[in-house]
Amino acid sequence: AEDVASGLFDIAKARLDAFKAKAHKRANQVDANFAANDADWAEADAYAAIDYADWAVENARVAILDAIDARVYADEKAATVA
């Protein structure tokens, strides 16, 4: 009877160990999925930052050209008054 109980205990322990291993594997998979999702968001944020920086540089270039045009116009007007 002790051998049967010991055998049942060993079977139960093996099943519990298998269940724990499976649960650990699923937890690692969930962690991996979260990490991949975080990486996707970080990549999207970086792309958006680069796109915004590109827009800002282009906007600055246009502002410089507008300033040059305004200065030339102002100088022309000043020359006609003098």
Side-chain angles (χ1 to χ4, degrees):
E2 191 173 307
D3 290 340
V4 171
S6 178
L8 291 175
F9 179 79
D10 290 342
I11 290 171
K13 185 175 180 328
R15 286 184 180 173
L16 182 60
D17 289 344
F19 176 77
K20 286 180 180 179
K22 189 175 181 180
H24 186 67
K25 182 178 178 182
R26 284 187 181 172
N28 286 340
Q29 183 61 45
V30 168
D31 289 345
N33 289 343
F34 279 130
N37 192 35
D38 286 346
D40 291 343
W41 278 100
E43 289 169 353
D45 287 348
Y47 177 77
I50 290 170
D51 191 44
Y52 177 74
D54 180 55
W55 172 85
V57 168
E58 289 302 317
N59 196 40
R61 287 180 182 155
V62 170
I64 290 169
L65 293 175
D66 285 344
I68 292 169
D69 183 54
R71 177 55 56 202
V72 168
Y73 181 73
D75 290 347
E76 286 174 355
K77 288 297 181 184
T80 60
V81 172

